[in-house]
Amino acid sequence: MRRALAGVALAVTSMVALSFLIPLALLVQSEARARSTTQAEQRASALAPVLALTTRSRDVQQAVSGLDSERRLAVHLPDGEVIGTRHAPASALARAERERETLAMDTADGWVYLQPVILAGDRVAVVESFVPASALSRGVVLSWGVMSLLAVGLVAGSVLVADRLGARVVRSSRELSRASNALGEGDLGIRVEPAGPPELKEAGRAFNSMADRVVGLLATERELVADLSHRLRTPLTALRLEAERMGSAPGSERLTAAITHLQTEIDSIISAARSPLAVDPPGGGRADGSGDGAAGNRCEVSGVVRRRVEFWAVLAGQQDRSCGLEVTTEPTPVRLPYDDLAAVVDALIGNVFQHTPEGTAFAVEVERTAGSVVLCVDDAGPGIADPDLALARGVSVGGSTGLGLDIALRAARATRGDVTIGRGPLGGARVRVELGLAAAVPPAGAPSRASRAVRAAARRGRRTTPDRGAPSG
């Protein structure tokens, strides 16, 4: 925009300058010629009274010398004598003498003015006044140079003013754009100082108002989430009392443990929802050095997947489901909190349990590519008829809430990845989640994957429920 404004100013002022400069240059040239020819005519006219009084060579010579110090005057007497320097062609002199009319003409050397003077006895003398070509354009080049410098100064000044104005507008626009991008990336505290033209100032004030409104809406939403989570405590308390009444009945310990874990999760949700709004700076957080990523905004996909598959393997064993796990040995860091990635894995595996009959096999695979980590969950079920519809938030193809796959999609896009649904090698659905690597890490060696079947835990003979609830798709 800055360059465009400068270009417009350059074009407009150049056209205006040229529209004045060209006529002025022609006028200066015409005025210089007119000044020189007028002086020549005046010198010729000054000799007419002298010739009317006397035609003696000595007197005429004295008069010519007094009027002309540059040898530009000449007098052609009736007897053919020429006093001064002749420049006019003979034909022009003969015509002026014969027709007794004033003549002015351009020659190869300059401009000639012939004025006949009628003497006594019907005789004619011709006064010749000459102006050389250099005198006709004297001062023109200097005038043109001065006007050109003024025009260049005018154009340069207008371009400079336009550039300063453009810089001011661009600076304000870039600040507004930077703040908008920062707000889109989650920096809720970003604001702008309205500056620039009135329109940009108004846009800056509108942005600040919008940012304040967004913060207010997010705070209201978080408070609503906390209130809704708090309402779950009442039925949870009733469920705990029912579990205590069961005493030492079979399964009571597992039920009590599940209720306790659910109570902890609800308390965590309420605490997080009612904490002040805060956004981690880009690139913040820390990586868990153990590879399991238990804290911060970064974790290892391999470690999280192993833990969650081990948990689901217990339920898979109770339902006679074959559960396979294939995980790469290379580092797989992604910029996601542990809980968010665990929710993704639980959502995908939970969909298998919810939407396929008991005994349906499934497999989980983690591999690393040049710039991403790919998590695949395959099953041997009937598959997903409409993958695009399944990825729509709040839309379920199996009668659930329709949020499970959306959880995975949002987590993937938070790392510049994506989610795709297709057919897997087991014959059923394959959900492929691509997560962008958190940083460039050197490979641990040649790509290799350690395979193991997580079936041993299934033979424990205990049926349990997921500690995060069975996510639905």
Side-chain angles (χ1 to χ4, degrees), residues 114-435:
L114 301 177
Q115 180 177 345
V117 179
I118 301 176
L119 304 177
D122 200 25
R123 294 180 303 164
V124 177
V126 178
V127 180
E128 174 188 338
S129 182
F130 172 72
V131 180
S134 59
L136 290 173
S137 59
R138 180 176 299 168
V140 172
V141 176
L142 178 61
S143 300
W144 285 359
V146 172
M147 290 189 295
S148 299
L149 288 177
L150 290 176
V152 171
L154 174 64
V155 173
S158 64
V159 171
L160 181 61
V161 171
D163 180 71
R164 292 297 89 199
L165 176 62
R168 184 183 175 198
V169 173
V170 169
R171 191 182 307 112
S172 301
S173 302
R174 285 178 177 172
E175 179 65 18
L176 187 59
S177 174
R178 183 192 63 81
S180 301
N181 291 332
L183 181 64
E185 293 172 358
D187 186 358
L188 301 180
I190 190 69
R191 296 295 184 274
V192 297
E193 183 67 28
E199 294 79 4
L200 283 179
K201 288 184 178 179
E202 182 63 27
R205 288 190 287 267
F207 172 84
N208 291 338
S209 176
M210 178 193 68
D212 294 337
R213 179 63 174 163
V214 168
V215 172
L217 291 175
L218 288 177
T220 302
E221 182 181 5
R222 288 163 64 89
E223 191 64 27
L224 178 61
V225 170
D227 293 342
L228 293 176
S229 301
H230 190 273
R231 290 167 60 182
L232 293 176
R233 286 180 170 177
T234 300
L236 189 61
T237 301
L239 187 59
R240 180 185 294 277
L241 293 176
E242 289 297 327
E244 292 175 353
R245 289 178 184 177
M246 294 175 60
S248 58
S252 61
E253 294 182 0
R254 295 196 303 273
L255 181 59
T256 301
I259 293 173
T260 301
H261 183 77
L262 184 57
Q263 179 70 47
T264 302
E265 290 290 332
I266 291 177
D267 292 341
S268 176
I269 292 174
I270 294 175
S271 176
R274 287 185 172 171
S275 62
L277 285 172
V279 179
D280 295 321
R286 60 184 179 86
D288 185 11
S290 65
D292 292 335
N297 288 335
R298 183 170 168 175
C299 64
E300 284 285 339
V301 178
S302 300
V304 176
V305 171
R306 283 195 187 97
R307 290 186 179 184
R308 301 316 303 160
V309 172
E310 286 174 358
F311 169 79
W312 285 97
V314 177
L315 185 57
Q318 295 174 358
Q319 294 188 1
D320 296 326
R321 293 178 182 268
S322 172
C323 173
L325 175 63
E326 195 172 349
V327 179
T328 180
T329 58
E330 294 184 86
T332 55
V334 294
R335 198 170 298 284
L336 279 177
Y338 177 90
D339 290 343
D340 290 357
L341 183 57
V344 172
V345 179
D346 288 344
L348 299 181
I349 299 179
N351 282 343
V352 176
F353 281 83
Q354 184 171 358
H355 299 299
T356 62
E358 294 187 9
T360 302
F362 71 96
V364 181
E365 179 184 1
V366 177
E367 64 177 352
R368 174 178 160 176
T369 63
S372 63
V373 180
V374 179
L375 166 65
C376 294
V377 178
D378 300 320
D379 64 66
I384 299 177
D386 192 341
D388 294 334
L389 183 62
L391 288 173
R393 179 175 174 82
V395 178
S396 174
V397 294
S400 57
T401 61
L403 298 180
L405 289 176
D406 183 70
I407 292 174
L409 182 60
R410 285 188 288 114
R413 288 180 177 173
T415 63
R416 304 179 305 278
D418 203 358
V419 175
T420 55
I421 299 176
R423 284 283 177 178
L426 298 180
R430 159 169 277 202
V431 181
R432 184 180 185 273
V433 181
E434 183 178 0
L435 305 168

Side-chain angles (χ1 to χ4, degrees), residues 106-110 133:
D106 290 312
T107 65
D109 298 326

